[in-house]
Amino acid sequence: MKPEASIILCATLAELAKRAAEKIRKVIHDSTAARGICTVALSGGETPRRLYYLLGDEPFRTQIDWSGVQIFFSDERMVPPDSAQSNYKMVKEELLSRIPIPADNVHRILGEIDPAEAAKRYEAELKQTFANASPRFDFILLGIGGEGHTASLFPGTDALDIQDRLAAAVFVRKLNTWRVTLTLLVINNSRQVAFLVSGKEKAPIVRKVLSTAVPQQDVPASLVCPRYGNLIWMLDADAASLVKDEPWMTSTISS
Ligand code: 6PG
């Protein structure tokens, strides 16, 4: 078990989404109070849908001051923003279209253009938002694929080794598609990274990642290890079903 990781365990995805919404509400409040800004990177996929919907609903919608929140994306599929495959489209439908956030605070990866150009423009927006310092996100939300990918950092792709760029265009052979992703350089510089994982089908990869403290190149999610930040695994009972009896489990569950 990674010594710096903590686990939040909830019975169902509905409860997990609520806990995650509460955590994000606290991150936004504390970061904005401390620095006048809160920088967040949101993942795509299906798991966070309910969380995003909750954040756009009462009471979270009104309780959160969205004016100081800068929203980025952990990754994007290289499709137009109105494509059913677009992470931006999902986040816009579930959250962005339902909260009073200034349009300039939402930093979309341009899925409709050349991948390398999209990565370059995304990196420029990151540099602009972080005033050319190394981007240190207040909160990055990630998911995990069954084979251990996270964001669009897939096993065997050269994006895993990038240490001089903030975002990268990646050709994912198994999907035969291009993606743009945040690099580990950015992810591991953040103040807080949370994996949101639900469902029995994710239990084997959760066990594989959590039961070893050693990062493994063939399991990109295991390479997520914030140097100066917190790593949290937010799991529902199904996703945690193969680790629930591990001795380290109880000691790492945070309230
Ligand atoms: C994406 C995501 C990706 C996702 C995992 C889990 O673009 O698909 O960013 O990294 O988080 O694939 O996806 P599910 O939540 O759908 O299982």
Side-chain angles (χ1 to χ4, degrees):
M1 177 68 193
K2 288 179 185 298
E4 74 290 338
S6 63
I7 293 173
I8 292 176
L9 184 58
C10 293
T12 65
L13 177 54
E15 286 178 31
L16 198 62
K18 187 165 182 295
R19 280 296 300 274
E22 290 163 352
K23 177 163 280 299
I24 291 173
R25 178 178 60 194
K26 182 172 183 342
V27 165
I28 293 174
H29 175 269
D30 294 352
S31 306
T32 308
R35 289 177 295 280
I37 184 176
C38 179
T39 51
V40 172
L42 299 177
S43 74
E46 288 306 310
T47 305
R49 263 187 192 275
R50 194 181 190 114
L51 161 59
Y52 299 156
Y53 185 83
L54 265 183
L55 287 170
D57 215 6
E58 298 304 346
F60 295 101
R61 181 185 184 283
T62 309
Q63 289 173 340
I64 294 172
D65 175 3
W66 297 100
S67 62
V69 181
Q70 296 290 330
I71 291 184
F72 286 80
F73 296 81
S74 64
D75 64 319
E76 183 57 275
R77 297 88 177 268
M78 295 314 288
V79 293
D82 59 356
S83 160
Q85 291 302 311
S86 167
N87 287 337
Y88 169 77
K89 181 177 187 289
M90 183 273 283
V91 178
K92 182 180 177 188
E93 279 171 358
E94 302 296 348
L95 175 61
L96 301 177
S97 60
R98 303 170 58 238
I99 57 173
I101 188 165
D104 288 350
N105 288 26
V106 179
H107 306 275
R108 179 173 73 86
I109 299 172
L110 304 181
E112 68 274 27
I113 69 172
D114 169 73
E117 180 61 22
K120 201 169 136 198
R121 291 193 198 184
Y122 195 51
E123 182 163 65
E125 280 204 49
L126 284 160
K127 286 180 176 175
Q128 186 179 8
T129 301
F130 289 92
N132 287 316
S134 302
R136 185 155 161 66
F137 275 95
D138 293 303
F139 187 82
I140 294 183
L141 183 77
L142 295 175
I144 188 170
E147 88 292 36
H149 83 262
T150 190
S152 282
L153 300 166
F154 284 80
T157 56
D158 55 15
L160 299 178
D161 302 316
I162 293 174
Q163 287 301 326
D164 59 354
R165 275 178 286 154
L166 307 177
V170 187
F171 182 71
V172 184
R173 200 174 306 283
K174 73 175 263 192
L175 301 174
N176 194 30
T177 54
W178 281 91
R179 297 273 187 105
V180 166
T181 186
L182 286 178
T183 58
L184 286 165
L185 177 67
V186 174
I187 294 170
N188 283 336
N189 195 44
S190 46
R191 290 187 172 84
Q192 196 159 190
V193 181
F195 281 94
L196 189 72
V197 192
S198 166
K200 272 224 184 307
E201 72 282 1
K202 299 288 175 74
I205 195 62
V206 166
R207 177 174 55 183
K208 186 168 185 180
V209 176
L210 290 187
S211 56
T212 169
V214 181
Q216 307 163 58
Q217 276 279 342
D218 62 339
V219 185
S222 72
L223 302 175
V224 173
C225 188
R227 282 181 296 280
Y228 319 105
N230 301 322
L231 175 61
I232 307 161
W233 284 81
M234 302 190 76
L235 309 171
D236 70 1
D238 283 343
S241 54
L242 296 181
V243 295
K244 63 184 171 46
D245 300 323
E246 292 292 341
W248 43 258
M249 191 62 176
T250 45
S251 64
T252 54
I253 290 184
S254 55
S255 57

